Structure formats: structure tokens, C-alpha cells
């Protein structure tokens, strides 16, 4: 490639993002130079302006994180199957004068669990939150033989929207008080703030695994809360971040990067 391809991650907050380092490592593997920056729109009202500006200046691809994944879907002119199925996008690409949307979150999550040797078959799963990330994960889980998927969110309407999207599934419903789960997945940004975690503390069954989509070099707030309330095993979302990034990178550059050991390269 003669021209250096320009990429970005768009989110709020985004200053903590490891995406620039991850994609630059993938580019090193491929033997190309890329430019990768961070964009932090102040609010949802500013998302389109910033994204339009990036692509108008020969931007090639964008990763999109919270809280803009549904806006990214609406921004795009075209959508692949993964984005269409869950109605949100974490990957945008300039293609033939149009912007195409993709979603690699769900598959990235599944790949990370496979890497960790965690089986989802016939498991009882609770998803905390009902935003774009939750929808991506439900979409991937809907293709696996799960015993049940329950969703807990402050916004009941958003849960209803997710359930309505997957109304052909008989095993997806609202969280019911007192239920216990094999796997609990946090898609809310609770670990990014110092606010007290107020999820029900009786959701763990003694052998439960908790998974926080967020990550830090120390244990995340949700991981610490999970351990204190009976989770046997906890994981943060670094592996998912790396796997979804690898899928995005392949969409943009037709190159499948190696992900094994990348956490150590990043200092984790």
C-alpha cells in the first residue's frame, strides 16, 4: 500500500483505549504502516459530525465503542449480516464511496471464551445491560445451544427491544429475582466509574464465571464485586477487545493477525 491508511476509534470515554496499540501491532505483523488515532465526541449529538469529518479526510476504517454503536449502525449506508442482525456496529469502513458497518463484538467475545476453554453449551447466562454490546453478544449466543439467556437492565424498554429482536428464541427473557447463573456478563460501564455496584448479589451459583467487557491492568470493579459475592472465576474484557480488533483488522486489510500472547505485549 503506497498511501498510509488512516484508522480511528470513536467513543466516550476513549482515552484509556488500547485499540491504537493493538492495531499498530497487527500492522507490524502485516508489514505495513498505518495511522490510528482516537476521537472522543462530547455527546451523541456530536458523533455524526466527527465521524463524517474523519471519513471525508480519507479515513479508511473506524472502531466504535460505547456509547455510539447504535449511532454507527445508523450512520452507515450499508451493513453486513452481523451488524444487521443486532442493529448496531463497532466497525465502519469506507468502501466504494459509501460507509459499510460491521459488528465483530459478539464473535470476538465467543473467540475469547474459546481461548480460555470456557464452554457455553447448555449454560444459564445473565447479561447485565441492554445496549449495543449486549445485543452483539445475544446475537452470537443465539446461535449456540444455551439453556437460557436472561437480561437485567435499568431500562426495561431496552430489554424488551432485545427480546423482540430474538422473539424466535424461547429461552431469552427478563432477569427474575432469585435466579442463579453459570455465566454472568457485564456489558455496562460500571467498572469505568467509582459508583457503587448495585446488581443483585445472589446471582452466583458457587461455580459461576463472571466476565466484564471492560478491562484494566488491575482487577476491574465488577470483577472485585463478583469475587466478593461468590463468583468462582472472573475475567476482564481484554481478550474480547483483542479478538474483535483482529476481526476488524481483517475486514479492513484482508489480513488475519495473530492474537496469542498479545496481552503480554500490551503489558498485561
Amino acid at each position: 500500500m503506497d498511501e498510509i491508511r488512516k484508522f480511528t476509534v470513536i467513543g466516550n470515554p476513549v482515552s484509556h483505549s488500547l485499540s491504537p496499540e493493538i492495531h499498530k501491532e497487527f500492522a507490524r505483523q502485516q508489514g505495513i504502516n498505518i495511522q490510528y488515532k482516537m476521537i472522543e465526541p462530547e455527546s451523541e449529538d456530536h458523533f455524526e459530525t466527527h465521524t463524517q469529518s474523519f471519513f471525508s479526510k480519507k479515513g479508511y476504517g473506524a472502531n466504535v465503542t460505547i456509547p455510539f454503536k447504535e449511532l454507527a449502525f445508523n450512520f452507515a449506508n450499508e451493513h453486513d449480516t452481523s451488524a444487521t442482525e443486532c442493529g448496531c456496529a463497532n466497525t465502519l469502513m469506507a468502501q466504494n464511496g459509501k460507509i459499510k458497518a460491521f459488528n465483530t463484538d459478539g464473535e470476538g467475545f465467543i473467540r475469547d471464551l474459546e481461548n480460555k476453554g470456557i464452554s457455553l453449551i447448555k449454560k444459564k447466562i445473565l447479561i447485565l445491560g441492554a445496549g449495543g454490546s449486549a445485543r452483539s453478544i445475544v446475537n452470537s449466543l443465539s446461535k449456540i445451544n444455551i439453556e437460557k439467556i436472561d437480561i437485567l437492565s435499568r431500562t426495561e424498554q431496552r430489554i424488551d427491544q432485545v427480546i423482540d429482536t430474538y422473539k424466535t428464541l424461547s429461552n431469552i427473557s427478563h432477569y427474575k429475582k432469585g435466579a442463579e447463573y453459570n455465566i454472568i456478563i457485564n456489558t455496562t460501564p460500571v467498572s469505568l466509574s467509582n459508583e457503587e455496584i448495585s446488581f443483585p448479589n445472589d446471582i452466583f451459583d458457587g461455580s459461576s464465571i463472571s466476565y466484564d467487557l471492560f478491562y484494566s491492568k488491575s482487577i476491574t470493579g465488577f470483577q472485585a464485586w463478583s469475587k466478593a459475592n461468590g463468583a468462582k472465576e472472573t475475567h476482564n474484557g481484554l481478550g474480547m477487545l483483542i479478538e474483535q480488533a483482529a476481526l476488524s483488522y481483517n475486514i479492513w486489510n484482508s489480513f488475519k493477525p495473530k492474537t496469542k500472547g498479545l496481552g503480554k505485549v500490551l503489558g498485561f
Side-chain angles (χ1 to χ4, degrees):
M1 299 172 198
D2 297 326
E3 190 177 2
I4 294 178
R5 288 186 172 180
K6 296 178 184 178
F7 301 98
T8 189
V9 57
I10 306 169
N12 189 339
V14 81
S15 58
H16 68 287
S17 177
L18 291 172
S19 291
E21 292 176 64
I22 291 170
H23 284 279
K24 284 173 184 173
E25 173 59 30
F26 292 161
R28 277 193 286 275
Q29 291 182 23
Q30 191 178 8
I32 65 169
N33 289 317
I34 64 169
Q35 183 187 98
Y36 194 109
K37 64 177 187 174
M38 295 186 277
I39 298 174
E40 188 171 298
E42 292 172 23
S43 69
E44 293 189 1
D45 294 338
H46 295 91
F47 171 80
E48 188 167 336
T49 306
H50 282 282
T51 309
Q52 193 70 57
S53 175
F54 169 74
F55 282 109
S56 69
K57 294 171 183 170
K58 295 190 175 177
Y60 196 82
N63 289 125
V64 182
T65 185
I66 60 165
F68 303 124
K69 293 179 183 182
E70 287 159 80
L71 290 177
F73 178 87
N74 295 331
F75 178 82
N77 311 106
E78 299 176 346
H79 309 84
D80 86 326
T81 306
S82 64
T84 301
E85 285 178 346
C86 55
C88 55
N90 74 328
T91 303
L92 298 174
M93 179 179 179
Q95 199 173 66
N96 304 320
K98 294 181 178 178
I99 305 300
K100 187 167 183 178
F102 306 80
N103 197 309
T104 66
D105 276 335
E107 190 177 343
F109 171 74
I110 300 295
R111 285 189 179 196
D112 187 41
L113 290 195
E114 287 173 351
N115 293 342
K116 289 176 165 61
I118 297 170
S119 171
L120 291 162
I121 304 299
K122 301 213 171 152
K123 294 292 194 296
K124 297 174 185 173
I125 296 175
L126 176 65
I127 296 177
L128 302 170
S133 297
R135 282 158 64 172
S136 308
I137 287 171
V138 170
N139 187 55
S140 290
L141 292 177
S142 71
K143 298 170 172 60
I144 299 170
N145 184 16
I146 303 286
E147 182 170 330
K148 73 170 179 173
I149 304 166
D150 286 353
I151 305 173
L152 173 62
S153 171
R154 290 176 182 171
T155 316
E156 296 283 315
Q157 185 183 359
R158 289 180 75 90
I159 301 176
D160 290 336
Q161 288 170 349
V162 177
I163 292 172
D164 186 60
T165 302
Y166 297 94
K167 53 181 172 277
T168 55
L169 296 177
S170 58
N171 62 348
I172 181 166
S173 62
H174 288 251
Y175 159 79
K176 293 173 188 67
K177 193 173 179 181
E180 295 180 340
Y181 301 88
N182 309 121
I183 299 174
I184 297 92
I185 304 159
N186 174 46
T187 72
T188 76
V190 70
S191 291
L192 295 178
S193 69
N194 293 318
E195 65 181 272
E196 188 179 345
I197 295 176
S198 57
F199 300 126
N201 60 5
D202 58 353
I203 53 179
F204 304 99
D205 68 3
S207 61
S208 300
I209 296 169
S210 87
Y211 190 104
D212 192 355
L213 261 59
F214 297 87
Y215 58 88
S216 68
K217 290 196 174 180
S218 58
I219 190 169
T220 71
F222 179 73
Q223 284 182 282
W225 177 86
S226 298
K227 281 196 168 183
N229 287 285
K232 184 180 180 184
E233 197 178 309
T234 72
H235 300 277
N236 69 29
L238 179 65
M240 173 181 167
L241 176 75
I242 291 169
E243 293 299 334
Q244 64 80 23
L247 292 161
S248 295
Y249 190 91
N250 187 36
I251 287 167
W252 295 330
N253 299 300
S254 301
F255 177 83
K256 292 182 180 178
K258 294 183 179 71
T259 58
K260 192 173 180 181
L262 187 51
K264 288 183 181 177
V265 173
L266 296 167
F268 281 76

